[in-house]
CSV table of all heavy atoms in Angstrom, one decimal:
chain,number,residue,atom,x,y,z
Y,260,ASP,N,-71.4,85.4,-175.9
Y,260,ASP,CA,-71.5,85.7,-174.4
Y,260,ASP,C,-73.0,86.3,-174.3
Y,260,ASP,O,-73.5,86.4,-173.1
Y,260,ASP,CB,-70.5,86.7,-173.8
Y,260,ASP,CG,-70.7,88.1,-174.6
Y,260,ASP,OD1,-70.5,88.2,-175.8
Y,260,ASP,OD2,-70.9,89.2,-173.9
Y,261,HIS,N,-73.7,86.7,-175.3
Y,261,HIS,CA,-74.9,87.4,-175.3
Y,261,HIS,C,-76.1,86.5,-174.5
Y,261,HIS,O,-76.7,87.0,-173.6
Y,261,HIS,CB,-75.5,87.8,-176.7
Y,261,HIS,CG,-76.8,88.5,-176.6
Y,261,HIS,ND1,-76.9,89.8,-176.1
Y,261,HIS,CD2,-77.9,88.2,-176.9
Y,261,HIS,CE1,-78.1,90.2,-176.2
Y,261,HIS,NE2,-78.8,89.2,-176.6
Y,262,PHE,N,-76.1,85.2,-174.8
Y,262,PHE,CA,-77.2,84.4,-174.3
Y,262,PHE,C,-76.9,84.3,-172.7
Y,262,PHE,O,-77.8,84.1,-171.9
Y,262,PHE,CB,-77.1,83.0,-174.9
Y,262,PHE,CG,-76.0,82.2,-174.6
Y,262,PHE,CD1,-76.0,81.2,-173.7
Y,262,PHE,CD2,-74.8,82.3,-175.3
Y,262,PHE,CE1,-75.1,80.3,-173.4
Y,262,PHE,CE2,-73.7,81.5,-175.1
Y,262,PHE,CZ,-73.8,80.5,-174.1
Y,263,MET,N,-75.6,84.2,-172.3
Y,263,MET,CA,-75.3,84.1,-170.8
Y,263,MET,C,-75.8,85.4,-170.1
Y,263,MET,O,-76.2,85.4,-169.0
Y,263,MET,CB,-73.9,83.7,-170.6
Y,263,MET,CG,-73.6,83.2,-169.3
Y,263,MET,SD,-74.3,81.7,-168.8
Y,263,MET,CE,-73.5,80.6,-170.0
Y,264,ARG,N,-75.6,86.5,-170.8
Y,264,ARG,CA,-76.0,87.7,-170.1
Y,264,ARG,C,-77.5,87.7,-170.1
Y,264,ARG,O,-78.1,88.3,-169.1
Y,264,ARG,CB,-75.5,88.9,-170.9
Y,264,ARG,CG,-74.0,89.0,-171.0
Y,264,ARG,CD,-73.5,90.3,-171.5
Y,264,ARG,NE,-72.0,90.2,-171.7
Y,264,ARG,CZ,-71.2,90.3,-170.9
Y,264,ARG,NH1,-71.4,90.4,-169.6
Y,264,ARG,NH2,-69.8,90.1,-171.2
Y,265,GLU,N,-78.3,87.2,-171.1
Y,265,GLU,CA,-79.7,87.2,-171.0
Y,265,GLU,C,-80.2,86.2,-169.9
Y,265,GLU,O,-81.2,86.6,-169.3
Y,265,GLU,CB,-80.3,86.7,-172.4
Y,265,GLU,CG,-80.1,87.6,-173.5
Y,265,GLU,CD,-80.9,89.0,-173.2
Y,265,GLU,OE1,-82.0,88.9,-172.6
Y,265,GLU,OE2,-80.3,90.1,-173.6
Y,266,ILE,N,-79.4,85.1,-169.7
Y,266,ILE,CA,-79.8,84.1,-168.6
Y,266,ILE,C,-79.7,84.9,-167.3
Y,266,ILE,O,-80.4,84.9,-166.3
Y,266,ILE,CB,-79.0,83.0,-168.6
Y,266,ILE,CG1,-79.5,82.2,-169.9
Y,266,ILE,CG2,-79.2,82.1,-167.4
Y,266,ILE,CD1,-78.6,81.0,-170.2
Y,267,ALA,N,-78.5,85.7,-167.1
Y,267,ALA,CA,-78.3,86.5,-165.8
Y,267,ALA,C,-79.4,87.5,-165.7
Y,267,ALA,O,-79.9,87.7,-164.5
Y,267,ALA,CB,-77.0,87.1,-165.9
Y,268,ALA,N,-79.9,88.1,-166.7
Y,268,ALA,CA,-81.0,89.1,-166.6
Y,268,ALA,C,-82.2,88.3,-166.3
Y,268,ALA,O,-83.0,89.0,-165.3
Y,268,ALA,CB,-81.1,89.8,-168.0
Y,269,ALA,N,-82.5,87.1,-166.6
Y,269,ALA,CA,-83.7,86.4,-166.2
Y,269,ALA,C,-83.6,86.2,-164.7
Y,269,ALA,O,-84.6,86.3,-164.0
Y,269,ALA,CB,-83.7,85.1,-166.9
Y,270,LEU,N,-82.4,85.9,-164.1
Y,270,LEU,CA,-82.1,85.6,-162.8
Y,270,LEU,C,-82.4,86.8,-162.0
Y,270,LEU,O,-83.0,86.8,-160.9
Y,270,LEU,CB,-80.8,85.1,-162.5
Y,270,LEU,CG,-80.5,83.6,-162.7
Y,270,LEU,CD1,-79.0,83.4,-162.8
Y,270,LEU,CD2,-81.1,82.7,-161.8
Y,271,HIS,N,-82.1,88.0,-162.6
Y,271,HIS,CA,-82.4,89.3,-161.9
Y,271,HIS,C,-83.8,89.5,-161.6
Y,271,HIS,O,-84.2,90.4,-160.7
Y,271,HIS,CB,-81.8,90.5,-162.6
Y,271,HIS,CG,-80.4,90.6,-162.3
Y,271,HIS,ND1,-79.8,90.8,-161.1
Y,271,HIS,CD2,-79.3,90.6,-163.2
Y,271,HIS,CE1,-78.4,91.0,-161.3
Y,271,HIS,NE2,-78.1,90.8,-162.4
Y,272,ARG,N,-84.7,88.9,-162.4
Y,272,ARG,CA,-86.1,88.9,-162.1
Y,272,ARG,C,-86.6,88.4,-160.7
Y,272,ARG,O,-87.7,88.7,-160.3
Y,272,ARG,CB,-86.9,88.1,-163.2
Y,272,ARG,CG,-86.8,88.7,-164.6
Y,272,ARG,CD,-87.7,88.2,-165.6
Y,272,ARG,NE,-87.7,88.8,-166.9
Y,272,ARG,CZ,-88.7,88.8,-167.7
Y,272,ARG,NH1,-89.7,88.0,-167.5
Y,272,ARG,NH2,-88.5,89.4,-168.9
Y,273,TRP,N,-85.7,87.6,-160.1
Y,273,TRP,CA,-85.9,87.1,-158.8
Y,273,TRP,C,-85.0,87.8,-157.8
Y,273,TRP,O,-85.0,87.3,-156.6
Y,273,TRP,CB,-85.5,85.6,-158.8
Y,273,TRP,CG,-86.5,84.7,-159.5
Y,273,TRP,CD1,-87.9,84.7,-159.4
Y,273,TRP,CD2,-86.3,83.6,-160.3
Y,273,TRP,NE1,-88.5,83.8,-160.1
Y,273,TRP,CE2,-87.5,83.1,-160.7
Y,273,TRP,CE3,-85.2,83.1,-160.9
Y,273,TRP,CZ2,-87.6,81.9,-161.6
Y,273,TRP,CZ3,-85.2,82.0,-161.8
Y,273,TRP,CH2,-86.4,81.4,-162.2
Y,274,ASP,N,-84.6,89.0,-158.0
Y,274,ASP,CA,-83.8,89.7,-157.1
Y,274,ASP,C,-84.4,89.9,-155.6
Y,274,ASP,O,-83.8,89.8,-154.6
Y,274,ASP,CB,-83.3,91.0,-157.7
Y,274,ASP,CG,-82.1,91.0,-158.5
Y,274,ASP,OD1,-81.4,89.9,-158.6
Y,274,ASP,OD2,-81.8,92.0,-159.2
Y,275,GLU,N,-85.7,90.2,-155.7
Y,275,GLU,CA,-86.3,90.5,-154.4
Y,275,GLU,C,-86.5,89.2,-153.5
Y,275,GLU,O,-86.8,89.4,-152.3
Y,275,GLU,CB,-87.7,91.1,-154.7
Y,275,GLU,CG,-88.7,90.0,-155.3
Y,275,GLU,CD,-90.1,90.7,-155.6
Y,275,GLU,OE1,-90.1,91.5,-156.5
Y,275,GLU,OE2,-91.1,90.3,-155.0
Y,276,VAL,N,-86.3,88.0,-154.0
Y,276,VAL,CA,-86.6,86.8,-153.2
Y,276,VAL,C,-85.5,86.6,-152.2
Y,276,VAL,O,-85.7,86.4,-151.0
Y,276,VAL,CB,-86.6,85.6,-154.2
Y,276,VAL,CG1,-86.9,84.4,-153.3
Y,276,VAL,CG2,-87.9,85.8,-155.1
Y,277,HIS,N,-84.3,86.6,-152.7
Y,277,HIS,CA,-83.0,86.7,-151.8
Y,277,HIS,C,-83.2,85.7,-150.6
Y,277,HIS,O,-83.3,86.0,-149.4
Y,277,HIS,CB,-82.8,88.1,-151.1
Y,277,HIS,CG,-81.4,88.5,-150.8
Y,277,HIS,ND1,-80.8,87.8,-149.7
Y,277,HIS,CD2,-80.5,89.3,-151.4
Y,277,HIS,CE1,-79.5,88.3,-149.7
Y,277,HIS,NE2,-79.4,89.1,-150.7
Y,278,ASP,N,-83.0,84.4,-150.9
Y,278,ASP,CA,-83.0,83.3,-150.0
Y,278,ASP,C,-84.4,83.0,-149.3
Y,278,ASP,O,-84.3,82.3,-148.3
Y,278,ASP,CB,-81.9,83.5,-148.9
Y,278,ASP,CG,-80.6,83.3,-149.5
Y,278,ASP,OD1,-80.5,82.6,-150.5
Y,278,ASP,OD2,-79.5,83.9,-148.9
Y,279,ARG,N,-85.4,83.7,-149.8
Y,279,ARG,CA,-86.7,83.4,-149.1
Y,279,ARG,C,-87.4,82.1,-149.6
Y,279,ARG,O,-87.1,81.8,-150.8
Y,279,ARG,CB,-87.7,84.5,-149.4
Y,279,ARG,CG,-87.3,85.9,-148.8
Y,279,ARG,CD,-88.4,86.8,-148.6
Y,279,ARG,NE,-89.5,86.6,-149.5
Y,279,ARG,CZ,-89.8,87.5,-150.6
Y,279,ARG,NH1,-89.0,88.4,-150.7
Y,279,ARG,NH2,-90.7,87.3,-151.4
Y,280,SER,N,-88.1,81.5,-148.9
Y,280,SER,CA,-89.1,80.3,-149.4
Y,280,SER,C,-90.2,80.8,-150.1
Y,280,SER,O,-90.8,81.8,-149.8
Y,280,SER,CB,-89.5,79.4,-148.2
Y,280,SER,OG,-88.2,78.9,-147.6
Y,281,LEU,N,-90.5,80.2,-151.3
Y,281,LEU,CA,-91.8,80.5,-152.1
Y,281,LEU,C,-92.2,79.3,-152.9
Y,281,LEU,O,-91.5,78.3,-153.0
Y,281,LEU,CB,-91.5,81.7,-153.0
Y,281,LEU,CG,-90.6,81.5,-154.2
Y,281,LEU,CD1,-90.7,82.7,-155.2
Y,281,LEU,CD2,-89.1,81.5,-153.8
Y,282,THR,N,-93.4,79.5,-153.4
Y,282,THR,CA,-93.9,78.3,-154.1
Y,282,THR,C,-93.5,78.4,-155.6
Y,282,THR,O,-92.9,79.4,-156.0
Y,282,THR,CB,-95.4,78.3,-154.1
Y,282,THR,OG1,-95.9,79.6,-154.7
Y,282,THR,CG2,-95.9,78.2,-152.7
Y,283,VAL,N,-93.6,77.3,-156.2
Y,283,VAL,CA,-93.4,77.2,-157.7
Y,283,VAL,C,-94.2,78.4,-158.5
Y,283,VAL,O,-93.7,79.0,-159.3
Y,283,VAL,CB,-93.7,75.9,-158.3
Y,283,VAL,CG1,-93.7,75.9,-159.7
Y,283,VAL,CG2,-92.8,74.8,-157.8
Y,284,SER,N,-95.5,78.4,-158.1
Y,284,SER,CA,-96.3,79.4,-158.8
Y,284,SER,C,-95.9,80.8,-158.5
Y,284,SER,O,-95.9,81.7,-159.5
Y,284,SER,CB,-97.8,79.2,-158.4
Y,284,SER,OG,-97.9,79.4,-157.0
Y,285,HIS,N,-95.5,81.2,-157.5
Y,285,HIS,CA,-94.9,82.5,-157.1
Y,285,HIS,C,-93.7,82.7,-157.8
Y,285,HIS,O,-93.5,83.9,-158.3
Y,285,HIS,CB,-94.7,82.6,-155.5
Y,285,HIS,CG,-94.4,84.1,-155.1
Y,285,HIS,ND1,-94.0,84.4,-153.9
Y,285,HIS,CD2,-94.5,85.2,-155.9
Y,285,HIS,CE1,-93.7,85.7,-153.8
Y,285,HIS,NE2,-94.1,86.2,-155.1
Y,286,ALA,N,-92.8,81.7,-157.9
Y,286,ALA,CA,-91.5,81.9,-158.5
Y,286,ALA,C,-91.8,82.2,-160.1
Y,286,ALA,O,-91.2,83.1,-160.8
Y,286,ALA,CB,-90.6,80.7,-158.4
Y,287,LEU,N,-92.7,81.5,-160.7
Y,287,LEU,CA,-93.1,81.7,-162.1
Y,287,LEU,C,-93.8,83.0,-162.4
Y,287,LEU,O,-93.6,83.7,-163.4
Y,287,LEU,CB,-94.1,80.5,-162.6
Y,287,LEU,CG,-93.3,79.2,-162.6
Y,287,LEU,CD1,-94.4,78.1,-163.1
Y,287,LEU,CD2,-92.2,79.1,-163.5
Y,288,GLU,N,-94.6,83.5,-161.4
Y,288,GLU,CA,-95.2,84.7,-161.4
Y,288,GLU,C,-94.2,85.9,-161.5
Y,288,GLU,O,-94.3,86.9,-162.2
Y,288,GLU,CB,-96.1,85.0,-160.2
Y,288,GLU,CG,-96.9,86.3,-160.2
Y,288,GLU,CD,-97.7,86.5,-158.9
Y,288,GLU,OE1,-97.8,85.5,-158.3
Y,288,GLU,OE2,-98.2,87.6,-158.8
Y,289,LEU,N,-93.2,85.9,-160.6
Y,289,LEU,CA,-92.2,86.8,-160.7
Y,289,LEU,C,-91.3,86.8,-162.0
Y,289,LEU,O,-90.9,87.8,-162.6
Y,289,LEU,CB,-91.2,86.6,-159.4
Y,289,LEU,CG,-91.8,86.9,-158.1
Y,289,LEU,CD1,-90.7,86.5,-157.0
Y,289,LEU,CD2,-92.1,88.4,-158.0
Y,290,LEU,N,-91.1,85.5,-162.6
Y,290,LEU,CA,-90.3,85.4,-163.7
Y,290,LEU,C,-91.0,86.0,-164.9
Y,290,LEU,O,-90.4,86.4,-165.8
Y,290,LEU,CB,-90.2,83.9,-164.0
Y,290,LEU,CG,-89.1,83.4,-165.0
Y,290,LEU,CD1,-87.8,83.9,-164.7
Y,290,LEU,CD2,-89.1,82.0,-165.3
Y,291,SER,N,-92.4,86.1,-164.9
Y,291,SER,CA,-93.2,86.6,-166.0
Y,291,SER,C,-93.8,88.0,-165.8
Y,291,SER,O,-94.5,88.4,-166.6
Y,291,SER,CB,-94.2,85.5,-166.5
Y,291,SER,OG,-95.1,85.3,-165.4
Y,292,SER,N,-93.4,88.5,-164.7
Y,292,SER,CA,-94.1,89.8,-164.3
Y,292,SER,C,-93.7,90.9,-165.1
Y,292,SER,O,-92.5,91.0,-165.5
Y,292,SER,CB,-93.9,90.1,-162.8
Y,292,SER,OG,-92.6,90.5,-162.5
Y,293,ALA,N,-94.5,92.0,-165.2
Y,293,ALA,CA,-94.2,93.2,-165.9
Y,293,ALA,C,-93.1,94.0,-165.3
Y,293,ALA,O,-92.2,94.5,-166.0
Y,293,ALA,CB,-95.6,94.0,-166.1
Y,294,ASP,N,-93.1,94.0,-164.0
Y,294,ASP,CA,-92.1,94.7,-163.2
Y,294,ASP,C,-90.8,94.1,-163.4
Y,294,ASP,O,-89.8,94.8,-163.7
Y,294,ASP,CB,-92.5,94.6,-161.7
Y,294,ASP,CG,-93.5,95.5,-161.3
Y,294,ASP,OD1,-94.0,96.3,-162.1
Y,294,ASP,OD2,-94.0,95.4,-160.2
Y,295,ALA,N,-90.7,92.8,-163.6
Y,295,ALA,CA,-89.4,92.1,-163.9
Y,295,ALA,C,-89.0,92.6,-165.3
Y,295,ALA,O,-87.8,92.6,-165.5
Y,295,ALA,CB,-89.6,90.6,-163.9
Y,296,ARG,N,-89.8,92.6,-166.3
Y,296,ARG,CA,-89.3,93.0,-167.6
Y,296,ARG,C,-88.8,94.4,-167.5
Y,296,ARG,O,-87.8,94.7,-168.2
Y,296,ARG,CB,-90.5,92.9,-168.5
Y,296,ARG,CG,-90.9,91.6,-168.9
Y,296,ARG,CD,-92.0,91.5,-170.1
Y,296,ARG,NE,-93.1,92.0,-169.8
Y,296,ARG,CZ,-94.2,91.2,-169.3
Y,296,ARG,NH1,-93.9,90.0,-169.0
Y,296,ARG,NH2,-95.4,91.8,-169.0
Y,297,HIS,N,-89.3,95.3,-166.6
Y,297,HIS,CA,-88.7,96.7,-166.5
Y,297,HIS,C,-87.4,96.5,-165.9
Y,297,HIS,O,-86.4,97.3,-166.3
Y,297,HIS,CB,-89.6,97.5,-165.6
Y,297,HIS,CG,-90.9,97.7,-166.3
Y,297,HIS,ND1,-92.0,98.3,-165.6
Y,297,HIS,CD2,-91.3,97.8,-167.6
Y,297,HIS,CE1,-93.1,98.4,-166.5
Y,297,HIS,NE2,-92.6,98.1,-167.7
Y,298,THR,N,-87.1,95.6,-165.0
Y,298,THR,CA,-85.8,95.4,-164.4
Y,298,THR,C,-84.8,95.0,-165.5
Y,298,THR,O,-83.7,95.5,-165.5
Y,298,THR,CB,-85.9,94.3,-163.2
Y,298,THR,OG1,-86.7,94.8,-162.3
Y,298,THR,CG2,-84.5,94.1,-162.8
Y,299,ASP,N,-85.3,94.1,-166.3
Y,299,ASP,CA,-84.3,93.7,-167.5
Y,299,ASP,C,-83.9,94.8,-168.2
Y,299,ASP,O,-82.7,94.9,-168.7
Y,299,ASP,CB,-85.1,92.7,-168.4
Y,299,ASP,CG,-85.2,91.3,-167.8
Y,299,ASP,OD1,-84.7,91.0,-166.6
Y,299,ASP,OD2,-85.9,90.4,-168.4
Y,300,ALA,N,-84.8,95.7,-168.6
Y,300,ALA,CA,-84.5,96.8,-169.4
Y,300,ALA,C,-83.4,97.8,-168.7
Y,300,ALA,O,-82.6,98.3,-169.3
Y,300,ALA,CB,-85.8,97.7,-169.7
Y,301,ARG,N,-83.6,97.9,-167.5
Y,301,ARG,CA,-82.6,98.7,-166.6
Y,301,ARG,C,-81.3,98.1,-166.6
Y,301,ARG,O,-80.3,98.8,-166.5
Y,301,ARG,CB,-83.2,99.0,-165.2
Y,301,ARG,CG,-84.5,99.9,-165.2
Y,301,ARG,CD,-84.6,100.3,-163.7
Y,301,ARG,NE,-84.8,99.3,-162.8
Y,301,ARG,CZ,-86.0,98.8,-162.5
Y,301,ARG,NH1,-87.1,99.2,-163.1
Y,301,ARG,NH2,-86.0,97.7,-161.6
Side-chain angles (χ1 to χ4, degrees):
D260 63 300
H261 182 70
F262 71 98
M263 195 62 64
R264 299 192 192 282
E265 290 297 325
I266 291 171
L270 281 165
H271 278 301
R272 293 186 173 204
W273 285 313
D274 277 347
E275 68 182 67
V276 178
H277 207 292
D278 288 335
R279 296 203 329 257
S280 297
L281 70 167
T282 63
V283 172
S284 60
H285 188 193
L287 294 179
E288 180 184 350
L289 292 172
L290 190 61
S291 61
S292 69
D294 289 343
R296 287 193 289 275
H297 295 159
T298 299
D299 285 359
R301 290 195 300 270

